[in-house]
Amino acid sequence: MPSSDTHDETVTPTKPDATAPEPADDLVTTQHVLAAGRRKLKYTATTGRIVLRQEVTTDGKFTGHVPKASVFLTAYTLDDAEPATRPVTFAFNGGPGSSSTWLHLGVLGPRRVVSGDAGALAAPPYALADNPESLLAHSDLVFIDPMSTGYTRPVDGEGAQDHLGFTGDLECVGEVIRLWTTRNGRWLSPKFLAGESYGTTRAGGLALHLQQRHGMYLNGLMLISSVLDFGTLNFKEGNDLPYALFLPTYAAIAHYHGLHGKRPLKDVLAEAEEFAAKDYPWALAQGSRLSSAERASAVERVARLTGLSADYIDRVDLRIEHMRFFAELLRPSRRTVGRLDGRFTGWESDYGRELSVDDPSATAITGAYTAAINHYLRAELGYTNDLAYEVLSVDAHKAWSYKDFENSHVTVTDRLSKAMRGNPHLKVHVASGYTDGATPYFATEHTIAHLSIPDELRGNIEVKYYPAGHMMYVHEPSRVQQSKDLAAFVKSAS
């Protein structure tokens, strides 16, 4: 894909195999109807891979429009809608290395997986159901699988690595958005991005990339389980910030597992947030200057809020690393708790380990979503491919490059701030789950409060909270409420 900075980069093209067929799109189109309340939504589903090409210049001369990647997407467009007023939402998940399966079949799409929830998981082989709360009632939807996820692959003779990094990923996904918008005549449609987890990092970067590279100004961003500044999450020596920002999430998870008695969650979180915003960071900053009485007070407070023992808090020097917390909280009961969602619990083979081997919240739902997407694409959307559909690509995650942030932590707060300053109509919806131990809600609040935007633009940001975790939509009441919140956001920002 073209660089975000220039259109005339000198590139050494890969010599094509003259006998190989030219890569081509393999899109499949089907017609469907969804009952959404009193409405019957007639829509077209288009799924398959589109070929992305790069303009190549050699020695100052144009030498071709060279295929680089085949990107898999699934698009839903409402039949007989007016393109100029009909919004379109481009959606993707995170990882890096995750397909868009989770948002697609979890909350946004017209069909959803029946996976069950914490304590009441569905049994294999699982099932699909209509999603009458689908955002399709208010916006067309395009689900994008980034490089090496889903069925997205490099074309023959090309490699994946150029796309497995911050900038390469923005250019690849940005080109998909530009190409789909152009081919479908949607430049005058209200446009939104919906990202989850690292997908929010991608969305924050894309908001500026699309403005600067393609002149495409968005109406809104939907940031679900947000991470815009990795400095709020990195438990590195010398960085005390995450210890304070994770504390309210620890308190929420402890509350869910009954360690705060009958005390309302609202009261627990209010105390945890106040302590995490003031006295706790101060205590951590004091180091050896903290008096014995001050240290004892801080230890007692952290222990009471988190549900961990005072002895443990003292032994870890007041600093609870999140992976340790998930293994430690229910150790006396021989259970571990989930990272993605602390409501889920699991078993281990050895309860003396410092860290859990698996994340019980991830293992609980991965089977249902994997089965559902593999069935759905073939049996209902008519797309066939013998490649493995990569729901979560470990190889892509391991190969991911952050070379753009050498000697600094990853952040897109500067990019999102600049995009909002340049486009004062850009609205931002932020969704956080209280028991999300991967992207804690208080860290998101901290990041949003530090965006470099004028006070006049702070009203463009709305934040919603749910009593569940990273994929808050696996909790049925949260899914229904979140669907209403996203619909209201799209309608207000269009």
Side-chain angles (χ1 to χ4, degrees), residues 360-371:
S361 55
T363 56
I365 63 174
T366 297
Y369 278 80
T370 302

Side-chain angles (χ1 to χ4, degrees), residues 88 90 181 186-193 216-220:
V88 57
F90 299 93
T181 300
R186 303 301 292 272
W187 274 91
L188 294 182
S189 298
K191 289 176 282 295
F192 295 83
L193 304 182
M216 181 182 289
Y217 284 56
L218 302 170
N219 291 73

Side-chain angles (χ1 to χ4, degrees), residues 208-290:
L208 184 63
H209 173 78
L210 291 171
Q211 282 182 207
Q212 292 185 331
R213 175 64 186 88
H214 299 302
M216 181 182 289
Y217 284 56
L218 302 170
N219 291 73
L221 305 180
M222 290 168 257
L223 308 179
I224 301 168
S225 302
S226 181
V227 51
L228 303 177
D229 184 344
F230 281 48
T232 63
L233 308 184
N234 290 339
F235 291 87
K236 301 291 185 181
E237 187 171 352
N239 179 26
D240 281 339
L241 186 59
Y243 298 105
L245 297 180
F246 272 73
L247 185 74
T249 293
Y250 297 157
I253 295 172
H255 179 276
Y256 179 83
H257 292 290
L259 301 179
H260 284 281
K262 295 182 179 180
R263 192 178 180 197
L265 176 62
K266 180 180 178 181
D267 293 350
V268 172
L269 294 184
E271 180 186 354
E273 291 169 13
E274 181 180 16
F275 183 60
K278 297 178 182 178
D279 293 345
Y280 190 26
W282 178 85
L284 295 177
Q286 295 312 297
S288 62
R289 295 169 295 181
L290 202 63

Side-chain angles (χ1 to χ4, degrees), residues 157-213:
E158 295 291 334
Q161 191 57 53
D162 286 349
H163 312 287
L164 298 178
F166 178 77
T167 297
D169 174 70
L170 292 187
E171 292 174 346
C172 180
V173 177
E175 177 65 0
V176 174
I177 293 171
R178 182 202 68 81
L179 193 59
W180 190 94
T181 300
T182 300
R183 287 180 176 179
N184 290 274
R186 303 301 292 272
W187 274 91
L188 294 182
S189 298
K191 289 176 282 295
F192 295 83
L193 304 182
E196 181 180 288
S197 197
Y198 184 84
T200 66
T201 313
R202 179 184 292 121
L206 276 173
L208 184 63
H209 173 78
L210 291 171
Q211 282 182 207
Q212 292 185 331
R213 175 64 186 88

